[in-house]
Amino acid sequence: MLTAFARAFKTPDLRKKLLFTLGIIVVYRVGTHIPIPGVDYKSVQQCVDEASGNQGLFGLVNMFSGGALLQITVFALGIMPYITASIILQLLTVVIPRLEALKKEGQAGTAKITQYTRYLTIALAVLQGTGLVATARSGALFNGCTVASQIVPDRAIFSTITMVVCMTAGTAVVMWLGELITDRGIGNGMSILMFISIAATFPSALWSIKKSGDLAGGWIEFGTVILVGLVMVGLVVFVEQAQRRIPVQYAKRMIGRRSYGGTSTYIPLKVNQAGVIPVIFASSLLYIPALIAQFSGGNSGWKTWIQQNLVKGDHPIYITLYFLLIVFFAFFYVAISFNPEEVADNMKKYGGFIPGIRAGRPTAEYLSYVLNRITWPGSLYLGLIALVPTMALVGFGASQNFPFGGTSILIIVGVGLETVKQIESQLQQRNYEGFLR
C-alpha cells in the first residue's frame, strides 16, 4: 500500500490532483476556526468546554461541520445545507414531472438540477443561519452553560444580518471548494469535505474518553473504543461491498452486416442500497419535536413527555422510534431511487433478459422481489449500526463523545472506498499496481 502511495505521488498529473485536494482541505479546516463578527469568542470557548460530550440536539449538525457549528465560525453551517438541498431535489425529482424530465435530458438536465441545488442551498443556509443566531442569543445552543446568554452580546438588527450573511457566504464558499475538488482534484468534493469534517472530531472525542475513564488512567476505555471502532469499520466495509448480482444476457442482433449483443453482464444490487440517507432522515425527523419543545414556552404535558422520551438518546421509546424510522426510510429511499419497471423496460428495449425470467412485467416483479429481500438485512444493519452511540452511552456514559457512531462510520468508510477506487483506476491506467490485490 505504501508503494502504491509512492507511485501515486510520482505520477505528475495524479500528484497535482492529490496536492490540490490537500490544499483545499487545509483551506476548509482554516475556515472552520475563523469566528464570525458579533460573537464573544471567549464565551463560546468556555461553553464548548463545558458542553464537551453533551452537544444535545445539535450533535449531528456539529459533526457534519467538523465542530464549527458550536464555535459559531464562518463555516459553522458546513456542508449540511448542501446535503439537505440535494436530498430535497432528489425526492422532488420523483414528484415533479419537470425535474424528472430534466434528469432524463443527460448532462444539460443534470447541470440545471445542480444549479437548482445551489440556489436551494443558499436559501437553506439563510434559514439555518438565522435559526443558529436566534438559538445562540437565547442561550439554548449550550444548555447549562453559565455564560450561554453572553455569546452574542450585540442584539442589533445590523449585527444579526451581518452574522447571517457571513455564515451564508461561508456555506457558498464550502460549496465552491467542494466543486473545485470534484473538477480538479480526486474524488467527489462534497463527500471529501464531509469525510474531513467527521474525521476532524475523532481526536478530541477519543482523548475526552481517555480523560473521563477510570480504568488504568482511562487507557482501558480508550483501547476498548479503538477495538470496537476497528471491528465496526471491518463490518461496515464488508456490508457496503456486499451485493447481489442479477445475471443479464443480451441476444444477438444484426444491424447491417454487423452483429451486436450476445454478451452477458449483471445488475449489481447492493445490500445497503440507500447508503446513509435513512439515518440522516430519521435523525432529522426526531429532532423536529425536540426542537419545538425546546423553543416553546410553558411546562405543558406534551412538552414534558417529549423532553423525557424523545430527547434522551438512551430512552427505550427514542431507541424504538429511531430504529423503526431507519428501517422505513431505507425501504422508502430504495423505492424512489431504483425503479424495477424502468430497468425492465430498458432491458427489453435493448434485447436483454434475465435467464429463466420472461422480459417485461415478470422481470420487473422479479427485480422487486429480490430488492425487497436484500433491503431487509440492509435496513436492519443500518438500524443496528446507528444505535452504537446509544450502546456507548449505556456502557461508557459518553454518547456524543463516542466517535464511532453509525452515521460517521458509514460516511467515512463509503467516501474512503470511493476515493481509493478512483486513485486505483488512475494508477491502473498507467500500468501500476493499485491498492487492491
Side-chain angles (χ1 to χ4, degrees), residues 92 94 218 277 320:
L92 290 179
V94 185
I277 301 298
T320 305

Side-chain angles (χ1 to χ4, degrees), residues 192-344:
I192 293 290
L193 294 182
M194 198 187 311
F195 177 96
I196 296 301
S197 298
I198 296 171
T201 61
F202 276 20
S204 60
L206 287 171
W207 190 248
S208 62
I209 288 178
K210 190 265 176 190
K211 288 197 301 182
S212 60
D214 298 326
L215 302 176
W219 287 109
I220 294 180
E221 290 91 344
F222 181 83
T224 304
V225 170
I226 294 293
L227 183 61
V228 170
L230 291 176
V231 172
M232 283 188 59
V233 169
L235 174 64
V236 171
V237 170
F238 178 77
V239 179
E240 290 297 315
Q241 296 290 85
Q243 55 183 224
R244 169 75 183 275
R245 296 180 176 182
I246 308 296
V248 179
Q249 293 183 353
Y250 287 91
K252 287 186 178 180
R253 294 179 298 165
M254 294 298 296
I255 301 178
R257 295 183 178 181
R258 295 185 177 182
S259 64
Y260 295 88
T263 58
S264 61
T265 181
Y266 60 86
I267 301 174
L269 297 179
K270 296 181 64 176
V271 173
N272 181 21
Q273 191 87 0
V276 75
I277 301 298
V279 180
I280 297 176
F281 275 14
S283 302
S284 302
L285 198 61
L286 283 177
Y287 281 165
I288 293 175
L291 284 173
I292 293 175
Q294 187 174 16
F295 289 107
S296 62
N299 292 317
S300 56
W302 65 270
K303 180 179 178 180
T304 305
W305 187 88
I306 288 176
Q307 290 177 342
Q308 290 177 351
N309 301 312
L310 295 183
V311 174
K312 296 181 180 180
D314 59 339
H315 197 280
I317 295 179
Y318 179 90
I319 294 173
T320 305
L321 284 177
Y322 191 36
F323 185 83
L324 293 177
L325 283 173
I326 289 174
V327 173
F328 167 76
F329 281 122
F331 278 92
F332 175 75
Y333 189 79
V334 169
I336 67 172
S337 62
F338 186 89
N339 190 348
E341 295 182 359
E342 184 179 347
V343 174

Side-chain angles (χ1 to χ4, degrees), residues 1 3 10 83 96 124 146 152 157 175 215 227 319 336 340:
M1 188 181 69
T3 305
K10 286 180 181 178
I83 296 173
I96 301 177
L124 290 175
T146 55
V152 184
I157 296 178
M175 187 167 52
L215 302 176
L227 183 61
I319 294 173
I336 67 172

Side-chain angles (χ1 to χ4, degrees), residues 144-220:
C145 178
T146 55
V147 292
S149 59
Q150 303 175 16
I151 290 177
V152 184
D154 189 0
R155 300 178 180 269
I157 296 178
F158 179 76
S159 177
T160 303
I161 294 175
T162 303
M163 295 172 68
V164 173
V165 168
C166 286
M167 283 188 284
T168 305
T171 300
V173 171
V174 169
M175 187 167 52
W176 176 62
L177 293 176
E179 293 180 356
L180 282 178
I181 293 177
T182 304
D183 294 338
R184 300 174 57 185
I186 289 288
N188 182 283
M190 300 302 175
S191 301
I192 293 290
L193 294 182
M194 198 187 311
F195 177 96
I196 296 301
S197 298
I198 296 171
T201 61
F202 276 20
S204 60
L206 287 171
W207 190 248
S208 62
I209 288 178
K210 190 265 176 190
K211 288 197 301 182
S212 60
D214 298 326
L215 302 176
W219 287 109
I220 294 180

